Amino acid sequence: PNRFFGVFEDGEMKVRGLACRRRDTPPLVKSFQEEALALLSRARNRRAYQEVLHSQVKKLKEDYIQALKDHRVPIDALKITKVITKAPQEYTRATATALVSSQLADMGIDLHPGEAIEYVVVNSEEKVGPWKVVPVSMYRGEGYDVGYYVGLIEEGWREITK
């Protein structure tokens, strides 16, 4: 009940709880879901909805995934924004937020709870270490974890197809 989308008769869309509404969703995933929902919003019955979903929206998903695999996605479209809840030295687990806030603190950036940080996932398979994620401000072309971002697109797809 807290994740849904719908279209009113006047064409206005209502979206709640999906990735495109969350603050920590990368712009690429937001864009995918928004484009998909715009396509789906034109369907006027269940049959048309299914046709659009399995043709146009599926093709859209495949195009986004191919762009990731071809490394045609700019880093700004992949950045994840999180609000830190603690000072960098207070984190006890090596979460992405902890790693990024620690990297920024090591660079002399003074961070406080409530501030937003932005990062790119470069190696989601790495368990611990600074090369799992890189702050956007420190990114120097290290590449990005294609599989991780493909997974986010797939999750965005599942949200609108279940």
Side-chain angles (χ1 to χ4, degrees):
N2 59 351
R3 286 186 182 194
F4 66 90
F5 62 93
V7 181
F8 293 104
E9 288 182 11
D10 66 0
E12 181 185 348
M13 208 175 330
K14 182 164 184 140
V15 180
R16 295 291 181 264
L18 300 184
C20 62
R21 296 272 306 193
R22 293 192 292 273
R23 176 180 17 200
D24 63 345
T25 300
L28 180 78
V29 179
K30 284 184 183 191
S31 177
F32 163 68
Q33 271 196 341
E34 288 168 353
E35 285 184 54
L37 293 173
L39 289 169
L40 292 169
S41 72
R42 296 187 205 133
R44 294 294 168 226
N45 58 49
R46 185 167 180 76
R47 189 171 137 251
Y49 177 90
Q50 290 297 325
E51 287 174 10
V52 170
L53 180 65
H54 295 291
S55 60
Q56 296 174 40
V57 177
K58 187 175 182 182
K59 168 109 173 58
L60 179 70
K61 177 186 80 153
E62 291 165 358
D63 290 347
Y64 269 77
I65 289 172
Q66 194 60 53
L68 281 164
K69 289 179 178 179
D70 292 344
H71 297 276
R72 290 184 283 122
V73 179
I75 291 307
D76 277 349
L78 301 175
K79 67 184 175 188
I80 297 170
T81 303
K82 295 277 188 172
V83 174
I84 62 171
T85 58
K86 306 173 185 180
Q89 66 277 10
E90 293 175 347
Y91 285 98
T92 56
R93 295 184 58 226
T95 63
T97 302
L99 291 169
V100 171
S101 61
S102 177
Q103 289 176 57
L104 292 169
D106 290 348
M107 296 293 294
I109 298 170
D110 192 24
L111 295 171
H112 303 282
E115 288 187 73
I117 58 172
E118 295 178 333
Y119 63 89
V120 176
V121 176
V122 294
N123 184 359
S124 64
E125 298 301 314
E126 188 168 324
K127 299 296 179 207
V128 180
W131 296 111
K132 179 177 184 146
V133 291
V134 175
V136 170
S137 62
M138 295 171 63
Y139 184 83
R140 300 292 176 263
E142 296 89 345
Y144 55 83
D145 188 325
V146 172
Y148 177 81
Y149 289 102
V150 166
L152 293 180
I153 294 290
E154 292 286 359
E155 179 58 30
W157 164 262
R158 282 189 295 278
E159 282 185 350
I160 61 176
T161 58
K162 29 176 164 166

